[in-house]
Amino acid sequence: MASSLQTQHETQSGVYTFSSRPRAVPNRPKYRQDAPLLNEEQSSYGNIMYDRRVVRGNTYAQHILPITSQPDPVEFLRQQEARKKALSRKRLKEQFGPKTPEPLEGRMNIDVQTEMYLEELSDHIEDVSVECQTDMFLDKPATPLFIPAKTGRDAATQIEEGELFDFDVEVQPVLQVLVGKTIEQALLEVLEEEELANLRAQQQVFKEIRDAELVEVQRLEERERRLRVEKENRIKQQKAVLEKEKETADKIAARAFAQQYLSDLLPSVYSNLKDCGYFYDPVQRDIETGFLPWLMEEVTSTLEQRYVARTVLDSELTIFREPFQLFSQIKN
């Protein structure tokens, strides 16, 4: 996009919006030319990842672009302070960090393998040739190192063979390390093989013990199942026996209660029925219903006749007694 054709304005809410005028796309060649022609429009390109107008990070926060392109002095000072602190920490780390001690006089430090497994080292470095298209502008060449002018006089010293370095003596520590590491690695491998063999034997023994335990567990589970089934059957049988005994006891108790209840009930019922006249003697009933009423009537009629006769007799005696009483009075 062409920044020269874009316009930028700020709304009242503080949010920036951008718009550009419509224009035709220029015809560009497929490949770049070595040198741009005069009076030819040279298109400008920009990386959108470094454009300050592109919002990055949390989209929920409000990003407000500065009105001017000058950075904030407070932010600039803070960045400078952070840069100085990082440089000071780097210098302290380089100065006081752990370093390899300097070699003795006439010797130098070399890299030695200290890993558990040795690797074959080779001085041959693999290299690959590649080609690429460079830009039309060349980079600035490196500044040459400052070499001061040579002063003093040259001197030479003849060193005979074996004076500074004796291979047979110097190689002994390296050989001791290599042989020791090899023997140690071999012993470790042998011990590892023995340990693996012991582990396999222990696994086999454990497997046999586990199989035996599984068989024993299955046998115990089957035994437990049989005992449980037998127990359930016994419980069911005992429950059935108890139910029968309870039913029998209930029947016996009901029968005894019925007998006890009926022993007093039957005589009272018979006596009540007898009193009500449902059970009677025919002769006694005939006497009570036929003879006794007739007898009572006869007795009653006889008594009435006697009463009437006595009443008549008393009245007659009273009539005959009055003259005698009058005569006796007169006589007296």
Side-chain angles (χ1 to χ4, degrees):
M1 69 181 66
S3 61
S4 61
L5 298 177
Q6 291 180 349
T7 60
Q8 172 182 346
H9 61 277
E10 182 179 4
T11 61
Q12 296 180 359
S13 60
V15 179
Y16 289 89
T17 58
F18 302 92
S19 62
S20 60
R21 300 175 184 174
R23 64 182 180 85
V25 179
N27 295 327
R28 292 177 296 183
K30 185 176 181 181
Y31 300 99
R32 292 184 299 178
Q33 298 179 2
D34 295 339
L37 301 177
L38 296 177
N39 300 327
E40 183 181 3
E41 182 182 359
Q42 183 176 1
S43 302
S44 59
Y45 298 89
N47 192 348
I48 196 172
M49 296 300 296
Y50 298 98
D51 196 345
R52 296 175 60 84
R53 295 168 295 181
V54 178
V55 178
R56 289 181 294 273
N58 187 5
T59 58
Y60 295 97
Q62 184 178 6
H63 296 269
I64 300 176
L65 295 176
I67 299 176
T68 60
S69 60
Q70 296 180 359
D72 188 7
V74 179
E75 183 69 18
F76 183 72
L77 291 176
R78 189 179 63 81
Q79 292 179 0
Q80 283 187 349
E81 291 293 335
R83 224 177 275 115
K84 289 180 181 179
K85 289 181 181 180
L87 290 176
S88 62
R89 283 196 298 268
K90 186 176 180 181
R91 291 197 197 97
L92 290 175
K93 186 176 181 181
E94 291 178 356
Q95 184 177 359
F96 298 101
K99 297 182 179 179
T100 304
E102 297 295 333
L104 299 177
E105 185 178 358
R107 299 189 179 184
M108 64 178 181
N109 293 331
I110 60 173
D111 295 333
V112 179
Q113 294 189 19
T114 58
E115 290 81 4
M116 183 179 296
Y117 302 99
L118 301 179
E119 297 180 0
E120 182 181 1
L121 301 179
S122 176
D123 295 334
H124 177 69
I125 300 175
E126 297 180 0
D127 55 348
V128 179
S129 299
V130 295
E131 296 179 358
C132 63
Q133 179 66 35
T134 59
D135 297 334
M136 60 181 180
F137 297 106
L138 298 177
D139 296 336
K140 181 182 177 180
T143 303
L145 297 176
F146 173 74
I147 300 176
K150 185 177 180 181
T151 59
R153 299 174 61 185
D154 295 336
T157 303
Q158 181 65 32
I159 298 175
E160 300 295 337
E161 183 179 0
E163 290 183 358
L164 297 179
F165 181 76
D166 189 357
F167 179 78
D168 295 337
V169 176
E170 299 293 339
V171 82
Q172 286 182 2
V174 179
L175 288 177
Q176 289 178 359
V177 172
L178 293 176
V179 173
K181 287 290 183 180
T182 305
I183 294 174
E184 182 180 0
Q185 185 65 26
L187 290 175
L188 289 176
E189 291 179 357
V190 172
L191 292 175
E192 185 178 358
E193 291 178 356
E194 292 181 356
E195 186 176 0
L196 290 175
N198 293 332
L199 289 176
R200 293 191 188 94
Q202 291 180 2
Q203 288 179 356
Q204 185 66 25
V205 173
F206 176 75
K207 185 178 180 181
E208 293 177 357
I209 294 173
R210 186 185 63 181
D211 295 340
E213 289 179 353
L214 288 176
V215 173
E216 183 67 19
V217 168
Q218 291 178 358
R219 187 182 65 81
L220 293 175
E221 288 180 352
E222 184 65 22
R223 178 183 176 185
E224 184 68 20
R225 188 186 64 80
R226 291 197 303 269
L227 292 176
R228 186 173 63 254
V229 172
E230 183 67 22
K231 182 179 179 181
E232 292 177 356
N233 295 333
R234 293 290 180 86
I235 291 173
K236 289 181 181 178
Q237 294 177 1
Q238 188 67 23
K239 286 183 178 179
V241 171
L242 292 176
E243 289 179 357
K244 290 183 179 180
E245 291 180 355
K246 185 178 179 181
E247 185 178 358
T248 305
D250 293 340
K251 288 182 179 180
I252 294 172
R255 184 175 180 181
F257 177 75
Q259 289 179 355
Q260 183 179 1
Y261 183 74
L262 293 176
S263 62
D264 297 333
L265 181 62
L266 289 176
S268 61
V269 170
Y270 287 148
S271 61
N272 291 332
L273 292 175
K274 188 175 182 181
D275 294 338
C276 292
Y278 291 97
F279 300 102
Y280 55 88
D281 190 3
V283 178
Q284 184 178 359
R285 182 66 177 272
D286 188 18
I287 291 172
E288 291 178 355
T289 58
F291 177 72
L292 288 178
W294 174 80
L295 181 60
M296 292 300 293
E297 291 178 358
E298 293 294 331
V299 170
T300 303
S301 62
T302 304
L303 290 176
E304 289 178 354
Q305 291 176 3
R306 286 182 179 181
Y307 179 73
V308 170
R310 286 181 180 180
T311 303
V312 171
L313 182 60
D314 291 337
S315 62
E316 290 179 355
L317 289 177
T318 303
I319 294 171
F320 285 108
R321 190 179 299 129
E322 289 179 357
F324 284 105
Q325 290 179 357
L326 181 60
F327 178 75
S328 60
Q329 292 177 357
I330 294 172
K331 187 180 179 180
N332 292 331

